[in-house]
């Protein structure tokens, strides 16, 4: 197999494959049987990407109708049906209703800018269906600089300077499996293909790290982690740093794979993140080929 770089994996997915014969001349099963493994993977990716975009569009529409969060409850921004089925009623619980009022007041006051944009608050869950979760990367709270937060832990939109933590993640992947470093830090492609990039706290005030901590988000995201642990099997949890490692108490280690290391930030990466060889460690744990996402059935670390 020809070698590929991280940059290759970040290129847009190919257009949806067209059947070689009219649908009326060939059954769906027959069509599927003629596709290679790579082609089937791309078809499946395109379906998941389309679903993610539909979820995003629905959130944008709900927010635009109310000019922000005013009038929109948090529960209306979680639209991925598989998560609504997995954690039924979680956002109607008293703590979640109090949290919703807090976030709404923060946004509607106009005194403080809140990140990420309202329609992306649940981007991690809306992009990664519950039944598709193969790996979980836990973060703390969203980036608090302008334009950085996009609702996925460690990820930033294209065109935004790649933060030091993500730079170090790329460096470690390069050191571990020899990939070159990509030109941007948008990890949406990871999310669509099964990597749940979940922060413990899903909102933050501009330039005020942890400003929305201990307001209820931790209880919600703990419920998400516990639900994955209880209802799924064989998920890989990547816990980087002390805060993330504390979440190991929520995870059944007899059913899942829990890998820990120092946080990849510039302050701590040299104290146990560099050299942790995440991909190689996963290979030893579950005996699959050496790449981050091959651990749980995803073909390579930065997806096709």
């Amino acid at each position: 197999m020809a070698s590929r770089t991280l940059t290759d994996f970040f290129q847009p997915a190919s257009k949806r494959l067209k059947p070689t014969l009219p649908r009326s001349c060939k059954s769906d099963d027959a069509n599927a049987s003629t596709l290679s493994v790579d082609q089937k993977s791309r078809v499946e990716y395109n379906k998941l990407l389309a679903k993610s975009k539909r979820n995003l569009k629905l959130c944008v529409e709900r927010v635009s109708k109310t000019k922000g969060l005013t009038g929109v409850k948090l529960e209306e921004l979680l639209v991925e049906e598989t998560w609504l089925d997995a954690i039924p009623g979680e956002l109607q619980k008293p703590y979640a209703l109090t949290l919703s009022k807090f976030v709404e007041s923060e946004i509607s006051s106009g005194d403080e800018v809140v990140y990420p944009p309202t329609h992306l608050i649940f981007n991690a869950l809306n992009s990664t269906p519950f039944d598709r979760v193969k790996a979980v990367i836990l973060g703390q709270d969203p980036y608090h600089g302008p334009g950085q937060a996009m609702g996925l832990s460690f990820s930033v939109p294209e065109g935004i300077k790649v933060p030091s933590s993500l730079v170090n993640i790329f460096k470690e992947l390069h050191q571990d499996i020899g990939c070159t470093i990509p030109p941007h830090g948008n990890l949406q492609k990871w999310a669509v293909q099964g990597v749940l990039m979940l922060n413990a706290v899903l909102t933050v005030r501009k330039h005020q790290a942890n400003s929305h901590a201990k307001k209820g988000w931790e209880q919600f995201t703990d419920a998400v982690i516990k639900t994955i642990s209880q209802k799924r099997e064989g998920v890989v949890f990547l816990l980087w740093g002390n805060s993330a490692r504390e979440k190991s108490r929520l995870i059944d280690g007899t059913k899942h794979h829990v890998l820990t290391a120092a946080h990849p930030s510039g302050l701590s990466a040299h104290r146990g993140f560099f050299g942790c060889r995440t991909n190689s460690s996963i290979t030893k744990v579950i005996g699959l080929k050496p790449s981050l996402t091959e651990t749980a059935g995803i073909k390579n670390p930065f997806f096709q």
Side-chain angles (χ1 to χ4, degrees), residues 69-143:
L69 191 61
T70 306
V72 176
K73 298 179 175 62
L74 283 179
E75 62 183 286
E76 296 177 34
L77 298 175
L78 178 56
V79 299
E80 170 53 44
E81 293 179 358
T82 59
W83 280 108
L84 295 175
D85 292 339
I87 51 172
E90 189 67 33
L91 287 171
Q92 288 90 41
K93 292 181 178 179
Y95 85 88
L97 297 177
T98 300
L99 170 64
S100 183
K101 290 178 181 178
F102 167 75
V103 175
E104 179 179 351
S105 67
E106 287 280 282
I107 293 175
S108 62
S109 68
D111 295 332
E112 302 289 350
V113 176
V114 173
Y115 297 131
T118 305
H119 65 282
L120 294 177
I121 288 176
F122 290 115
N123 193 25
L125 301 178
N126 288 334
S127 296
T128 309
F130 173 73
D131 59 336
R132 295 286 180 170
V133 175
K134 297 176 175 65
V136 180
I137 299 179
L138 295 179
Q140 297 179 25
D141 66 342
Y143 294 124

Side-chain angles (χ1 to χ4, degrees), residues 193-253:
Q193 295 190 64
V195 180
L196 179 65
M197 287 170 284
L198 182 70
N199 282 314
V201 175
L202 300 188
T203 55
V204 68
R205 290 189 202 125
K206 179 180 179 181
H207 297 320
Q208 297 182 50
N210 296 314
S211 51
H212 285 187
K214 299 181 180 179
K215 302 295 184 181
W217 277 126
E218 294 90 343
Q219 186 171 343
F220 173 76
T221 53
D222 280 1
V224 169
I225 296 168
K226 286 189 287 188
T227 298
I228 296 172
S229 178
Q230 293 168 1
K231 297 183 179 181
R232 297 290 311 281
E233 291 186 8
V235 174
V236 178
F237 289 85
L238 301 178
L239 309 182
W240 296 330
N242 292 333
S243 295
R245 281 198 292 267
E246 290 176 359
K247 303 298 183 181
S248 63
R249 60 185 169 79
L250 307 172
I251 304 165
D252 184 347

Side-chain angles (χ1 to χ4, degrees), residues 9 22 26 28 48 60 72 88 90 99 103 140 145 168-169 171 176 183 206 219 223 229 232 255 267 289 295-296:
F9 299 135
K26 209 170 189 181
D28 288 343
L48 294 170
V60 169
V72 176
E90 189 67 33
L99 170 64
V103 175
Q140 297 179 25
N168 289 335
I169 291 171
K171 286 181 178 178
D176 192 7
K206 179 180 179 181
Q219 186 171 343
S229 178
R232 297 290 311 281
K255 295 171 55 181
L267 297 175
K289 296 179 181 179
T295 64

Side-chain angles (χ1 to χ4, degrees), residues 58-72 76:
L58 180 57
C59 289
V60 169
E61 290 173 349
R62 291 185 177 184
V63 172
S64 64
K65 289 179 180 179
T66 59
K67 298 181 180 179
L69 191 61
T70 306
V72 176
E76 296 177 34

Side-chain angles (χ1 to χ4, degrees), residues 13-84:
S14 60
K15 293 182 179 179
R16 193 180 296 271
L17 295 171
K18 296 179 180 179
T20 55
L21 294 176
R23 188 175 295 275
S24 59
C25 298
K26 209 170 189 181
S27 70
D28 288 343
D29 289 342
N31 276 331
S33 66
T34 64
L35 300 179
S36 68
V37 173
D38 182 66
Q39 288 172 323
K40 290 178 181 178
S41 175
R42 288 182 180 276
V43 169
E44 182 64 17
Y45 169 79
N46 286 335
K47 291 179 181 179
L48 294 170
L49 180 62
K51 185 177 185 182
S52 174
K53 288 181 176 180
R54 286 194 297 270
N55 286 344
L56 176 62
K57 181 180 179 181
L58 180 57
C59 289
V60 169
E61 290 173 349
R62 291 185 177 184
V63 172
S64 64
K65 289 179 180 179
T66 59
K67 298 181 180 179
L69 191 61
T70 306
V72 176
K73 298 179 175 62
L74 283 179
E75 62 183 286
E76 296 177 34
L77 298 175
L78 178 56
V79 299
E80 170 53 44
E81 293 179 358
T82 59
W83 280 108
L84 295 175

